[in-house]
Amino acid sequence: MHPTPPHLAPSRYPKRASYDKETIHAILDEALVCTISFSVDNRPFAIPTGFVRHEDKIYIHGSVGSHFIREIEKGIPVCITITLLDAIVVAKSAFDHSVNYRSVILFATPEKIEDIELKTTAFRWLTEKFVPNSWDYLRPIRENEVRKTTVLAFSLDEASAKIRTGMPGEDDDKDLPVWSGIIPLETRRLAPVAEDISKDIPLPAHLQEQR
């Protein structure tokens, strides 16, 4: 087993870290948005964007004219973070309040995808993640649309997860008559809402399945 690189090992609560691929993949597959951090001319940037995982890479896309995309496609190193919040942890003291979460951090250098077929496939992966089973229902993507868009891939070779679960971890205050526990949080899809020009079009089966 290879030693964990120092930049992947958390300095606080290292026991919460996981380097297991299945754990990392599960978090990435549930999350819809990541934040990509990088530095240009000694100025920090952190850009949120949609993403999709396929095998051991994640993919993002953006306009060929995007300043953010044009900078990182040069091959500069980035740090990518993803966080899912599961609960607010309410302790008997404000000092011990916390959150239950599942997170991933990864370090990578962007790989620009030039192949038109692979770019189109990456669009399908991303579309199907956000709206499952919708690709074949939609108007087919045009080649000029593919060419107007940049697709970047990032390896998961340097990735780690960090997870907190459970109730407050306080011991000193356990006998105080103050309520403690968790407030669960949930992100879920609600019923689709049609725009005016689509109100007379039946809701397609793939959207009915997501209700």
Short mmCIF file of all heavy atoms in Angstrom, two decimals, residues 120-168:
data_model
loop_
_atom_site.label_atom_id
_atom_site.label_comp_id
_atom_site.label_asym_id
_atom_site.label_seq_id
_atom_site.Cartn_x
_atom_site.Cartn_y
_atom_site.Cartn_z
N THR A 120 -18.90 14.30 -26.74
CA THR A 120 -20.35 14.09 -26.81
C THR A 120 -20.80 13.09 -25.76
O THR A 120 -21.83 13.27 -25.09
CB THR A 120 -20.76 13.61 -28.21
OG1 THR A 120 -20.31 14.56 -29.18
CG2 THR A 120 -22.27 13.44 -28.31
N THR A 121 -20.01 12.03 -25.58
CA THR A 121 -20.33 11.03 -24.56
C THR A 121 -20.29 11.64 -23.17
O THR A 121 -21.13 11.35 -22.31
CB THR A 121 -19.37 9.85 -24.65
OG1 THR A 121 -19.44 9.27 -25.95
CG2 THR A 121 -19.69 8.79 -23.61
N ALA A 122 -19.31 12.51 -22.93
CA ALA A 122 -19.22 13.19 -21.63
C ALA A 122 -20.44 14.07 -21.39
O ALA A 122 -20.96 14.15 -20.26
CB ALA A 122 -17.94 14.01 -21.55
N PHE A 123 -20.94 14.74 -22.44
CA PHE A 123 -22.17 15.52 -22.30
C PHE A 123 -23.33 14.62 -21.91
O PHE A 123 -24.19 15.00 -21.10
CB PHE A 123 -22.51 16.24 -23.61
CG PHE A 123 -21.54 17.32 -23.99
CD1 PHE A 123 -21.30 17.63 -25.33
CD2 PHE A 123 -20.87 18.04 -23.03
CE1 PHE A 123 -20.41 18.62 -25.68
CE2 PHE A 123 -19.98 19.05 -23.37
CZ PHE A 123 -19.75 19.33 -24.72
N ARG A 124 -23.36 13.43 -22.50
CA ARG A 124 -24.44 12.50 -22.16
C ARG A 124 -24.33 12.08 -20.69
O ARG A 124 -25.35 12.05 -19.98
CB ARG A 124 -24.38 11.28 -23.07
CG ARG A 124 -25.47 10.25 -22.73
CD ARG A 124 -25.61 9.17 -23.76
NE ARG A 124 -26.81 8.37 -23.50
CZ ARG A 124 -27.53 7.75 -24.41
NH1 ARG A 124 -27.17 7.81 -25.68
NH2 ARG A 124 -28.60 7.05 -24.07
N TRP A 125 -23.13 11.75 -20.24
CA TRP A 125 -22.95 11.37 -18.83
C TRP A 125 -23.45 12.48 -17.92
O TRP A 125 -24.16 12.21 -16.93
CB TRP A 125 -21.49 11.10 -18.54
CG TRP A 125 -20.90 9.92 -19.22
CD1 TRP A 125 -21.55 8.78 -19.61
CD2 TRP A 125 -19.52 9.73 -19.58
NE1 TRP A 125 -20.67 7.91 -20.20
CE2 TRP A 125 -19.42 8.45 -20.18
CE3 TRP A 125 -18.37 10.50 -19.44
CZ2 TRP A 125 -18.20 7.94 -20.66
CZ3 TRP A 125 -17.16 10.01 -19.91
CH2 TRP A 125 -17.08 8.74 -20.51
N LEU A 126 -23.08 13.71 -18.22
CA LEU A 126 -23.46 14.84 -17.37
C LEU A 126 -24.98 15.07 -17.40
O LEU A 126 -25.62 15.26 -16.36
CB LEU A 126 -22.73 16.11 -17.82
CG LEU A 126 -22.90 17.35 -16.94
CD1 LEU A 126 -22.32 17.10 -15.54
CD2 LEU A 126 -22.24 18.56 -17.56
N THR A 127 -25.55 15.03 -18.61
CA THR A 127 -27.00 15.23 -18.75
C THR A 127 -27.78 14.17 -18.00
O THR A 127 -28.75 14.46 -17.28
CB THR A 127 -27.38 15.22 -20.24
OG1 THR A 127 -26.66 16.25 -20.93
CG2 THR A 127 -28.88 15.44 -20.42
N GLU A 128 -27.34 12.92 -18.14
CA GLU A 128 -28.05 11.81 -17.51
C GLU A 128 -27.91 11.84 -15.99
O GLU A 128 -28.76 11.33 -15.26
CB GLU A 128 -27.54 10.48 -18.05
CG GLU A 128 -27.86 10.25 -19.52
CD GLU A 128 -29.27 9.68 -19.72
OE1 GLU A 128 -29.65 8.78 -18.98
OE2 GLU A 128 -29.95 10.16 -20.63
N LYS A 129 -26.83 12.46 -15.50
CA LYS A 129 -26.69 12.58 -14.05
C LYS A 129 -27.70 13.58 -13.50
O LYS A 129 -28.35 13.32 -12.48
CB LYS A 129 -25.27 13.02 -13.68
CG LYS A 129 -25.07 13.18 -12.17
CD LYS A 129 -23.68 13.63 -11.81
CE LYS A 129 -23.50 13.69 -10.30
NZ LYS A 129 -22.14 14.14 -9.90
N PHE A 130 -27.84 14.72 -14.18
CA PHE A 130 -28.74 15.75 -13.69
C PHE A 130 -30.20 15.41 -13.96
O PHE A 130 -31.07 15.66 -13.11
CB PHE A 130 -28.38 17.10 -14.32
CG PHE A 130 -27.28 17.82 -13.62
CD1 PHE A 130 -25.95 17.43 -13.77
CD2 PHE A 130 -27.55 18.88 -12.78
CE1 PHE A 130 -24.93 18.08 -13.11
CE2 PHE A 130 -26.53 19.55 -12.11
CZ PHE A 130 -25.22 19.15 -12.27
N VAL A 131 -30.48 14.84 -15.13
CA VAL A 131 -31.85 14.45 -15.49
C VAL A 131 -31.79 13.03 -16.05
O VAL A 131 -31.66 12.84 -17.26
CB VAL A 131 -32.47 15.41 -16.52
CG1 VAL A 131 -33.97 15.10 -16.70
CG2 VAL A 131 -32.28 16.87 -16.11
N PRO A 132 -31.86 12.02 -15.19
CA PRO A 132 -31.70 10.64 -15.63
C PRO A 132 -32.66 10.25 -16.75
O PRO A 132 -33.83 10.65 -16.76
CB PRO A 132 -31.98 9.83 -14.35
CG PRO A 132 -31.58 10.76 -13.25
CD PRO A 132 -31.99 12.12 -13.73
N ASN A 133 -32.13 9.48 -17.70
CA ASN A 133 -32.90 8.90 -18.82
C ASN A 133 -33.47 9.96 -19.76
O ASN A 133 -34.44 9.70 -20.48
CB ASN A 133 -34.05 8.03 -18.28
CG ASN A 133 -33.55 6.93 -17.38
OD1 ASN A 133 -32.58 6.24 -17.70
ND2 ASN A 133 -34.19 6.75 -16.23
N SER A 134 -32.85 11.15 -19.80
CA SER A 134 -33.40 12.23 -20.64
C SER A 134 -32.70 12.37 -21.98
O SER A 134 -33.23 13.01 -22.90
CB SER A 134 -33.30 13.56 -19.89
OG SER A 134 -31.95 13.93 -19.67
N TRP A 135 -31.51 11.82 -22.14
CA TRP A 135 -30.69 12.10 -23.33
C TRP A 135 -31.43 11.76 -24.62
O TRP A 135 -31.46 12.56 -25.57
CB TRP A 135 -29.37 11.35 -23.24
CG TRP A 135 -28.44 11.62 -24.38
CD1 TRP A 135 -28.26 10.85 -25.51
CD2 TRP A 135 -27.54 12.73 -24.52
NE1 TRP A 135 -27.31 11.41 -26.33
CE2 TRP A 135 -26.86 12.56 -25.74
CE3 TRP A 135 -27.25 13.83 -23.72
CZ2 TRP A 135 -25.89 13.46 -26.20
CZ3 TRP A 135 -26.28 14.74 -24.18
CH2 TRP A 135 -25.62 14.55 -25.39
N ASP A 136 -32.02 10.59 -24.70
CA ASP A 136 -32.67 10.16 -25.94
C ASP A 136 -33.99 10.88 -26.18
O ASP A 136 -34.51 10.87 -27.30
CB ASP A 136 -32.91 8.64 -25.91
CG ASP A 136 -31.61 7.86 -25.96
OD1 ASP A 136 -30.63 8.37 -26.53
OD2 ASP A 136 -31.58 6.74 -25.42
N TYR A 137 -34.55 11.52 -25.17
CA TYR A 137 -35.79 12.28 -25.31
C TYR A 137 -35.52 13.66 -25.91
O TYR A 137 -36.36 14.21 -26.64
CB TYR A 137 -36.45 12.42 -23.94
CG TYR A 137 -37.64 13.35 -23.90
CD1 TYR A 137 -38.90 12.91 -24.30
CD2 TYR A 137 -37.50 14.67 -23.44
CE1 TYR A 137 -40.00 13.77 -24.25
CE2 TYR A 137 -38.59 15.53 -23.40
CZ TYR A 137 -39.83 15.07 -23.81
OH TYR A 137 -40.91 15.93 -23.76
N LEU A 138 -34.37 14.22 -25.63
CA LEU A 138 -34.06 15.59 -26.02
C LEU A 138 -33.69 15.71 -27.50
O LEU A 138 -33.33 14.73 -28.14
CB LEU A 138 -32.89 16.11 -25.16
CG LEU A 138 -33.12 16.13 -23.65
CD1 LEU A 138 -31.81 16.42 -22.93
CD2 LEU A 138 -34.20 17.14 -23.28
N ARG A 139 -33.76 16.94 -28.00
CA ARG A 139 -33.26 17.21 -29.35
C ARG A 139 -31.79 16.84 -29.40
O ARG A 139 -31.01 17.23 -28.52
CB ARG A 139 -33.46 18.70 -29.67
CG ARG A 139 -33.10 19.09 -31.10
CD ARG A 139 -31.68 19.62 -31.22
NE ARG A 139 -31.54 20.94 -30.63
CZ ARG A 139 -30.38 21.48 -30.33
NH1 ARG A 139 -29.24 20.80 -30.51
NH2 ARG A 139 -30.32 22.68 -29.78
N PRO A 140 -31.35 16.05 -30.40
CA PRO A 140 -29.95 15.62 -30.44
C PRO A 140 -28.99 16.80 -30.43
O PRO A 140 -29.24 17.84 -31.05
CB PRO A 140 -29.86 14.83 -31.75
CG PRO A 140 -31.26 14.37 -32.00
CD PRO A 140 -32.14 15.47 -31.49
N ILE A 141 -27.90 16.63 -29.72
CA ILE A 141 -26.89 17.68 -29.66
C ILE A 141 -26.21 17.81 -31.02
O ILE A 141 -26.01 16.82 -31.73
CB ILE A 141 -25.85 17.37 -28.54
CG1 ILE A 141 -25.01 18.60 -28.25
CG2 ILE A 141 -24.99 16.17 -28.90
CD1 ILE A 141 -24.16 18.47 -27.00
N ARG A 142 -25.90 19.03 -31.39
CA ARG A 142 -25.29 19.30 -32.69
C ARG A 142 -23.77 19.36 -32.55
O ARG A 142 -23.24 19.75 -31.51
CB ARG A 142 -25.81 20.62 -33.25
CG ARG A 142 -27.33 20.65 -33.44
CD ARG A 142 -27.77 21.96 -34.06
NE ARG A 142 -29.23 21.98 -34.25
CZ ARG A 142 -30.06 22.82 -33.67
NH1 ARG A 142 -29.58 23.72 -32.80
NH2 ARG A 142 -31.35 22.77 -33.90
N GLU A 143 -23.09 19.02 -33.64
CA GLU A 143 -21.63 19.01 -33.58
C GLU A 143 -21.07 20.40 -33.31
O GLU A 143 -20.09 20.54 -32.58
CB GLU A 143 -21.04 18.46 -34.89
CG GLU A 143 -19.52 18.35 -34.84
CD GLU A 143 -18.92 17.66 -36.05
OE1 GLU A 143 -19.57 16.73 -36.59
OE2 GLU A 143 -17.81 18.05 -36.46
N ASN A 144 -21.72 21.44 -33.86
CA ASN A 144 -21.20 22.78 -33.61
C ASN A 144 -21.35 23.17 -32.14
O ASN A 144 -20.56 23.95 -31.60
CB ASN A 144 -21.88 23.80 -34.52
CG ASN A 144 -23.33 24.04 -34.17
OD1 ASN A 144 -24.07 23.10 -33.90
ND2 ASN A 144 -23.76 25.30 -34.17
N GLU A 145 -22.35 22.60 -31.45
CA GLU A 145 -22.50 22.85 -30.02
C GLU A 145 -21.38 22.17 -29.24
O GLU A 145 -20.87 22.72 -28.26
CB GLU A 145 -23.86 22.35 -29.55
CG GLU A 145 -25.03 23.12 -30.13
CD GLU A 145 -26.38 22.51 -29.82
OE1 GLU A 145 -26.46 21.27 -29.71
OE2 GLU A 145 -27.36 23.27 -29.70
N VAL A 146 -21.02 20.97 -29.69
CA VAL A 146 -19.91 20.26 -29.05
C VAL A 146 -18.62 21.05 -29.23
O VAL A 146 -17.82 21.18 -28.30
CB VAL A 146 -19.77 18.84 -29.64
CG1 VAL A 146 -18.58 18.13 -29.02
CG2 VAL A 146 -21.05 18.04 -29.41
N ARG A 147 -18.42 21.59 -30.43
CA ARG A 147 -17.19 22.33 -30.70
C ARG A 147 -17.13 23.66 -29.95
O ARG A 147 -16.04 24.19 -29.71
CB ARG A 147 -17.04 22.56 -32.21
CG ARG A 147 -16.85 21.27 -33.01
CD ARG A 147 -16.52 21.54 -34.46
NE ARG A 147 -16.38 20.30 -35.20
CZ ARG A 147 -15.27 19.55 -35.21
NH1 ARG A 147 -14.21 19.93 -34.51
NH2 ARG A 147 -15.21 18.43 -35.91
N LYS A 148 -18.27 24.20 -29.58
CA LYS A 148 -18.30 25.45 -28.83
C LYS A 148 -18.06 25.25 -27.34
O LYS A 148 -18.05 26.22 -26.58
CB LYS A 148 -19.66 26.14 -29.02
CG LYS A 148 -19.90 26.71 -30.40
CD LYS A 148 -21.28 27.32 -30.48
CE LYS A 148 -21.57 27.89 -31.85
NZ LYS A 148 -22.95 28.44 -31.94
N THR A 149 -17.92 24.00 -26.94
CA THR A 149 -17.82 23.67 -25.52
C THR A 149 -16.52 22.93 -25.24
O THR A 149 -16.12 22.05 -26.01
CB THR A 149 -19.01 22.80 -25.08
OG1 THR A 149 -20.22 23.42 -25.51
CG2 THR A 149 -19.04 22.63 -23.58
N THR A 150 -15.89 23.28 -24.16
CA THR A 150 -14.68 22.59 -23.71
C THR A 150 -15.05 21.57 -22.65
O THR A 150 -15.85 21.86 -21.75
CB THR A 150 -13.66 23.59 -23.12
OG1 THR A 150 -13.29 24.53 -24.14
CG2 THR A 150 -12.41 22.88 -22.62
N VAL A 151 -14.48 20.38 -22.75
CA VAL A 151 -14.66 19.35 -21.74
C VAL A 151 -13.30 19.05 -21.11
O VAL A 151 -12.31 18.83 -21.82
CB VAL A 151 -15.25 18.06 -22.35
CG1 VAL A 151 -15.27 16.95 -21.30
CG2 VAL A 151 -16.65 18.32 -22.88
N LEU A 152 -13.25 19.08 -19.79
CA LEU A 152 -12.02 18.80 -19.05
C LEU A 152 -12.25 17.61 -18.13
O LEU A 152 -13.31 17.48 -17.52
CB LEU A 152 -11.59 20.01 -18.22
CG LEU A 152 -11.32 21.31 -18.99
CD1 LEU A 152 -10.96 22.43 -18.01
CD2 LEU A 152 -10.19 21.12 -20.00
N ALA A 153 -11.24 16.75 -18.05
CA ALA A 153 -11.29 15.58 -17.17
C ALA A 153 -10.24 15.73 -16.09
O ALA A 153 -9.18 16.32 -16.30
CB ALA A 153 -11.06 14.30 -17.97
N PHE A 154 -10.54 15.17 -14.90
CA PHE A 154 -9.62 15.21 -13.77
C PHE A 154 -9.51 13.82 -13.17
O PHE A 154 -10.52 13.19 -12.85
CB PHE A 154 -10.13 16.20 -12.70
CG PHE A 154 -10.34 17.59 -13.20
CD1 PHE A 154 -11.54 17.95 -13.81
CD2 PHE A 154 -9.35 18.54 -13.07
CE1 PHE A 154 -11.75 19.23 -14.27
CE2 PHE A 154 -9.54 19.84 -13.53
CZ PHE A 154 -10.75 20.18 -14.14
N SER A 155 -8.30 13.37 -13.01
CA SER A 155 -8.06 12.05 -12.43
C SER A 155 -8.40 12.04 -10.95
O SER A 155 -8.23 13.04 -10.24
CB SER A 155 -6.60 11.66 -12.63
OG SER A 155 -6.27 10.52 -11.86
N LEU A 156 -8.85 10.87 -10.47
CA LEU A 156 -9.14 10.69 -9.05
C LEU A 156 -8.00 10.00 -8.32
O LEU A 156 -8.18 9.50 -7.21
CB LEU A 156 -10.43 9.88 -8.88
CG LEU A 156 -11.71 10.52 -9.43
CD1 LEU A 156 -12.89 9.57 -9.26
CD2 LEU A 156 -11.99 11.86 -8.77
N ASP A 157 -6.83 9.98 -8.93
CA ASP A 157 -5.69 9.30 -8.31
C ASP A 157 -5.33 9.91 -6.95
O ASP A 157 -4.87 9.20 -6.05
CB ASP A 157 -4.47 9.36 -9.23
CG ASP A 157 -4.61 8.43 -10.43
OD1 ASP A 157 -5.52 7.57 -10.41
OD2 ASP A 157 -3.82 8.56 -11.38
N GLU A 158 -5.50 11.24 -6.82
CA GLU A 158 -5.19 11.90 -5.55
C GLU A 158 -6.48 12.46 -4.95
O GLU A 158 -6.76 13.65 -5.03
CB GLU A 158 -4.17 13.02 -5.76
CG GLU A 158 -2.80 12.53 -6.18
CD GLU A 158 -1.76 13.64 -6.17
OE1 GLU A 158 -1.71 14.40 -5.20
OE2 GLU A 158 -1.02 13.74 -7.17
N ALA A 159 -7.27 11.56 -4.40
CA ALA A 159 -8.55 11.95 -3.81
C ALA A 159 -8.73 11.28 -2.46
O ALA A 159 -8.26 10.16 -2.24
CB ALA A 159 -9.71 11.57 -4.74
N SER A 160 -9.43 11.96 -1.57
CA SER A 160 -9.76 11.37 -0.27
C SER A 160 -11.12 11.87 0.16
O SER A 160 -11.58 12.94 -0.25
CB SER A 160 -8.71 11.72 0.79
OG SER A 160 -8.71 13.11 1.06
N ALA A 161 -11.78 11.08 0.97
CA ALA A 161 -13.08 11.46 1.53
C ALA A 161 -12.92 11.73 3.02
O ALA A 161 -11.98 11.25 3.67
CB ALA A 161 -14.10 10.34 1.32
N LYS A 162 -13.83 12.52 3.55
CA LYS A 162 -13.90 12.75 4.99
C LYS A 162 -15.36 12.80 5.39
O LYS A 162 -16.17 13.47 4.72
CB LYS A 162 -13.18 14.04 5.38
CG LYS A 162 -12.97 14.18 6.90
CD LYS A 162 -12.19 15.45 7.24
CE LYS A 162 -11.95 15.56 8.74
NZ LYS A 162 -11.28 16.83 9.11
N ILE A 163 -15.71 12.07 6.44
CA ILE A 163 -17.11 11.88 6.78
C ILE A 163 -17.31 12.03 8.29
O ILE A 163 -16.50 11.53 9.08
CB ILE A 163 -17.58 10.47 6.36
CG1 ILE A 163 -17.44 10.30 4.84
CG2 ILE A 163 -19.01 10.21 6.80
CD1 ILE A 163 -17.61 8.88 4.36
N ARG A 164 -18.38 12.74 8.67
CA ARG A 164 -18.79 12.76 10.08
C ARG A 164 -20.22 12.27 10.15
O ARG A 164 -21.09 12.69 9.39
CB ARG A 164 -18.73 14.17 10.69
CG ARG A 164 -18.98 14.13 12.20
CD ARG A 164 -19.46 15.44 12.79
NE ARG A 164 -19.46 15.41 14.25
CZ ARG A 164 -20.41 14.87 15.01
NH1 ARG A 164 -21.46 14.28 14.44
NH2 ARG A 164 -20.32 14.88 16.34
N THR A 165 -20.48 11.36 11.07
CA THR A 165 -21.83 10.86 11.31
C THR A 165 -22.10 10.86 12.81
O THR A 165 -21.18 11.02 13.62
CB THR A 165 -21.99 9.42 10.78
OG1 THR A 165 -21.06 8.56 11.46
CG2 THR A 165 -21.73 9.35 9.28
N GLY A 166 -23.36 10.66 13.19
CA GLY A 166 -23.69 10.45 14.58
C GLY A 166 -24.07 11.69 15.35
O GLY A 166 -24.24 12.77 14.82
N MET A 167 -24.18 11.50 16.65
CA MET A 167 -24.64 12.52 17.58
C MET A 167 -23.48 13.36 18.10
O MET A 167 -22.32 13.10 17.78
CB MET A 167 -25.37 11.83 18.74
CG MET A 167 -26.67 11.16 18.34
SD MET A 167 -27.89 12.42 17.89
CE MET A 167 -29.26 11.38 17.35
N PRO A 168 -23.77 14.39 18.92
CA PRO A 168 -22.70 15.20 19.49
C PRO A 168 -21.68 14.34 20.25
O PRO A 168 -22.04 13.32 20.85
CB PRO A 168 -23.43 16.16 20.43
CG PRO A 168 -24.80 16.24 19.88
CD PRO A 168 -25.10 14.89 19.31
#
